[in-house]
Amino acid sequence: MSRGQTFAPDAAAIERLADAAIAGLPEHFCRYLDGVVLRVEEFAQDEVLEQFGIEDPFQLSGLYTGRPVGQQSSMLSGELPAMIHLYRRPLLDEWAESGVSLEELVTHVIVHEVGHHFGFSDEDMHALEDAAD
């Protein structure tokens, strides 16, 4: 974000950070992201929160929806494209509370959701993060 910025970044700014995070991924991952739609919304929809048993909408900063790469098929039709959803208000709250840069936070969420695109579970990704520490 720009130096001396005194207002919360809008959805377009979050999307630019997400696009930069995706562009920074290794090429062998990026080629599998063609057609994945990136959406920046204020919060997750109530139905999504209910589906995951989340009562506080600030607890969900990102979500992948769609079939993982290994489950995709040209024989399937009529499905929505795979999507990475980023939720602006929860991201901004976490940014303000954590002291982590917004760029780092958005990158972390993007990498996490890309992991889901490749079929990794939350547990798989936490194990990978723990092993890297």
Side-chain angles (χ1 to χ4, degrees):
M1 304 296 28
S2 63
R3 186 172 178 86
Q5 182 172 337
T6 59
F7 54 90
D10 62 9
I14 301 290
E15 186 171 349
R16 284 190 299 275
L17 293 173
D19 287 340
I22 291 169
L25 294 172
E27 173 56 33
H28 56 276
F29 290 114
C30 289
R31 69 177 141 211
Y32 293 102
L33 295 175
D34 284 346
V36 176
V37 175
L38 176 65
R39 293 192 58 170
V40 179
E41 303 163 78
E42 290 300 297
F43 290 101
Q45 295 177 349
D46 290 339
E47 299 79 33
V48 170
L49 297 171
E50 288 174 19
Q51 177 184 352
F52 290 101
I54 299 172
E55 294 182 19
D56 180 357
F58 284 94
Q59 295 299 308
L60 186 61
S61 57
L63 179 69
Y64 173 78
T65 57
R67 291 185 184 271
V69 171
Q71 296 177 14
Q72 295 175 358
S73 169
S74 61
M75 300 303 288
L76 298 170
S77 64
E79 291 185 342
L80 290 173
M83 291 186 203
I84 293 176
H85 305 261
L86 296 179
Y87 302 115
R88 188 180 86 86
R89 294 284 308 279
L91 283 167
L92 295 178
D93 263 32
E94 188 172 342
W95 172 45
E97 292 173 3
S98 70
V100 172
S101 76
L102 189 56
E103 293 85 351
E104 287 178 82
L105 180 58
V106 169
T107 298
H108 175 79
V109 174
I110 286 292
V111 168
H112 185 90
E113 302 314 330
V114 166
H116 287 309
H117 179 63
F118 285 99
F120 289 103
S121 69
D122 285 334
E123 294 78 21
D124 294 335
M125 286 183 279
H126 290 303
L128 288 169
E129 288 174 346
D130 291 345
D133 288 342

